[in-house]
């Protein structure tokens, strides 16, 4: 889609300085701007680029005064950053909602229902007795098994797999290759050294406004539900085991893993590659550093943990700085031992 | 499916106390029981819930004596836990075997064969010259390339990819998004700094009763075979490189990685996020802790290893407890250095 | 395909000793050779196997002199290893290029184009306005969204997902289940503790001769491009976040993760399970050990880093050897403290 600068200025409640009939169809970084693109200048550090950019237009804030001649058009708004963000969101919203219709062949069992403004991509699969809301976008190769519920405005990306009995709220986004509701890892050791599979009959509940990253796995509960509460944001390649509960607005970065039956509080931030053992509770507002291992419950709200076995961040950094020179420390000890 | 309490009592060789014509269609946790569900009471700790549960029925053991009035029906059996487990298995077995037929469009090359009681989901793909046994369930979007063998009663879940020449035994379960037999990571460095791809012409052999988790990757061998021996259970997002051998009944938890040509013994337990370098051997019955790195062969059977570079668990815990207070240790050293 | 030993000898510029009319159709390891297979003997250590192997033929070097009677045929060439490698490559090349045609149902929007010698597997999906080169092989269940470019001779394996606007060069291989161009993990915290999604409008650029492993995820840029430069080789289950740049001929092993906006130099080697924080630069020719965490820019070319917080390898090993016996060190300190 293409817009004239005049149209955009109207949308952003700003005014054009330059040729308002020119058209843009793309959002560019100011340092990489090309004809047909529109950029923004908010941080002063980037000001030099506005005199060089090839972008057709740049959004600037009210107070901006050019110190050299400008080759680009400008749209002057109250706050350039907010203006650009508004544009970004309008763009994303437009792209998303424009996707409507059914591409054939798509498979949907006749016992399932889907609301208005649906998109179902080619090779998407919807099993029996599913209830799917309005404005839901089911991309190509998405798999939705039996008895699944999906709320309004949710997006299931290409190749995401939603297993039977899963419930997904409104405004959720399940990214490509994510697997929701596969069997939990439950095996009972037998006397002869073999393992017997424990049937996993629970499900997964994903509340509203949740995002699940690409190739992330969320296992179904052994019984009951694995629950991702509203507003939680989960990155790519995260593993969430059976019967885990993730609190509201908790953020988990890529490649972290949460073992079975652990309960994470709300508003926690868990950095990449963290590992959390099973059957513990993590208090609200906990921050867990990258690559950190947590083996015990965290009872106090607001702590920041770090390191191989999850300790207080400051203490970890002190210990680690000594660890880096342990050889020196040992030498000093040797010196003392030599003393008579 | 729905059963009357009378039918279930017969199946479990127990007897109903209450209304045996009532129907249940779901297995519930006792603390979350709802009408239409059946629960069990085995652990005394949960006894209070039997007086509150809304479940239609609860399975109890022979010796159970209610200390208050019961609102739920009960089915009294010899051992409530075993009874419930039997029910679970019957349920899982029923669900599994009930899945029969071919959903269109499904693709199978005419040179391939599949046995009785097949299920092939819509958009499943079976290439050339495959030999697939009886009671095999191929879910939607599963990909089975050329010359693949799959034994009786195995399940290939949605979106699992089985590359050419792979052999899978009987009673195996390959979960969603798992990739079996993709090329091993083999590149020969050239004089100019580039890398040349080394053709990977081996395959993967998965023996009987193996489970492979969601989004796990098992690479094919450079030559010969990557082998997962019978009874091994592999969790989600595990990486198993080319030419690795995993021993019988070895269990590997989520997000662990085994590098090329390493051989893991039988009856090992490898916790989550462990990393094992290539070209080593791990003895039978080895236990490897979460997040542990193993860089050398383990020759003695039955050891338990832990820590960044895989050391004896007890020794690691002692060292780590001192590491946590390294600052104190350094202070004590300083004090001594001050002495004349 | 089957070849006579005579045909292979001609291809390899060698000569047969034995029956040149015999046929082989498989490449075998010498220690696992079976009738119908051809092996090679290069390393003297393996010489004993040539007297036992059941392979139909073995490729040997000019200088080889049998010390016992041979039951197998031999093809004598200048250098057995190079000869076998040539055979491997011919085999791989043949297998690859033989795959031509379209299996139905396959989906391609009429606005997209693809060059000669295409393969499009059943259930493959190509969206709008894609430009796809010659000899490109799109395997079953591959997903290619709108406005994607793919260069000549590239292979998109089964179930790989290539999101909108992605550009892929020539001779690339994207393995099964890889997700290229899913949204970066960008969420702006709001005053009420919730997070607002930041639209991700950039793309991914993959240059020539790049390999991306199975179930690896490469996120699109927030704005601009996430770039994998020519010759880079990425293993399975690697996470590459938004706006990352990976330099030429850099190799990244399985389960490593690179956080947002980090720039990795050229000819780096990153071992398995390494984690690199966001917004830093790693110099050319850096080697990063397995499981290593890197939290600061590496400015000097050619360093080797290791350990929980990425330190010099030698120093790490010294520190770790003392860490393993920290208890002893503390005891020695106690002894000194006892002295009057």
């Amino acid at each position: 889609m293409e817009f004239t600068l005049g149209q955009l200025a109207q949308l952003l409640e700003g005014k054009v300085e330059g040729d308002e009939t020119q058209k843009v169809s793309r959002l560019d970084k100011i340092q990489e701007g090309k004809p047909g693109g529109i950029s923004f200048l908010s941080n002063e550090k980037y000001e030099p680029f506005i005199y060089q950019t090839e972008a057709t237009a740049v959004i600037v804030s009210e107070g901006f005064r050019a110190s050299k001649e400008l080759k680009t058009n400008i749209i002057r708004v109250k706050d350039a950053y907010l203006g650009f963000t508004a544009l970004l969101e309008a763009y994303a919203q437009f792209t998303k909602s424009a996707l409507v219709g059914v591409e054939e062949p798509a498979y949907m069992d006749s016992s399932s229902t889907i609301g208005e403004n649906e998109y179902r991509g080619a090779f998407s699969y919807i099993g029996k007795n599913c209830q799917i809301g309005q404005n839901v976008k089911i991309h190509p190769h998405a798999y939705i098994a039996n008895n699944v519920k999906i709320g309004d405005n949710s997006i299931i990306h290409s190749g995401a797999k939603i297993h039977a009995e899963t419930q997904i709220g409104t405004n959720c986004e399940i990214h490509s290759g994510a697997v929701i509701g596969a069997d939990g890892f439950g095996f009972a050791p037998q006397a002869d050294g073999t393992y017997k599979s424990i049937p996993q009959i629970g499900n997964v509940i994903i509340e509203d406004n949740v995002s699940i990253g690409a190739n992330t796995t969320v296992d179904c509960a052994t019984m009951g539900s694995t629950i991702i509460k509203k507003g939680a944001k989960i990155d790519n390649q995260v593993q969430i085991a059976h019967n885990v509960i993730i609190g509201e607005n908790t953020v988990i970065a890529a490649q972290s893993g949460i073992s079975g039956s652990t309960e994470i509080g709300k508003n926690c931030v868990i950095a990449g590659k963290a590992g959390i053992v099973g059957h513990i509770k993590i208090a609200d507002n906990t921050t867990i550093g990258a690559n950190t291992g947590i083996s015990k419950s965290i009872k106090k709200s607001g702590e920041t943990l770090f390191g191989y076995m999850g300790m207080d961040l400051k203490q970890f950094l002190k210990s680690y700085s000594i660890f880096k020179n342990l050889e020196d420390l040992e030498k000093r000890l040797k010196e003392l031992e030599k003393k008579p």
Side-chain angles (χ1 to χ4, degrees), chain A residues 19 32 37 45 65-66 81 84 102 110 118 128-129 157 170 185 231 233-234 268 274 280 285 295 300 314 330:
Chain A
D19 178 357
E32 299 170 355
K45 225 173 65 182
R65 294 290 164 262
Y81 179 72
F84 189 74
V102 179
S110 58
E118 73 185 288
K128 298 182 171 69
N129 303 313
H157 284 277
T170 59
F185 195 60
K233 308 296 179 191
I234 317 282
C268 293
I280 65 171
N285 304 302
S295 54
K300 210 177 124 203
K314 279 185 197 162
E330 204 208 9

Side-chain angles (χ1 to χ4, degrees), chain A residues 24-82:
Chain A
V24 292
S25 62
R26 217 179 43 245
L27 303 165
D28 286 345
K29 284 185 181 175
I30 193 167
Q31 64 272 45
E32 299 170 355
K34 297 280 172 214
I38 181 164
S39 299
F40 76 107
L41 173 63
S42 170
N43 186 330
E44 287 177 14
K45 225 173 65 182
Y46 289 87
E47 189 180 324
F49 293 111
I50 201 172
Y51 308 110
Q52 301 162 12
T53 190
E54 296 174 34
T56 297
V58 176
I59 299 170
V60 300
S61 296
E62 244 166 19
F64 172 72
R65 294 290 164 262
S67 60
K68 298 189 199 172
E69 196 191 358
L70 289 168
K71 284 171 276 184
T72 183
N73 301 288
I74 68 180
I75 299 181
R76 194 176 293 275
V77 300
K78 201 160 182 185
D79 178 304
Y81 179 72
L82 294 182

Side-chain angles (χ1 to χ4, degrees), chain A residues 20 22 55 61 76 114 117 130 141 152-153 169 205 301 308 315-316 319:
Chain A
E20 66 177 29
Q22 288 208 32
S61 296
R76 194 176 293 275
I114 186 166
N117 283 317
C130 293
H141 305 119
D152 294 349
N153 309 313
I205 296 176
S301 169
Y308 195 83
Q315 201 191 347
F316 176 83
S319 288

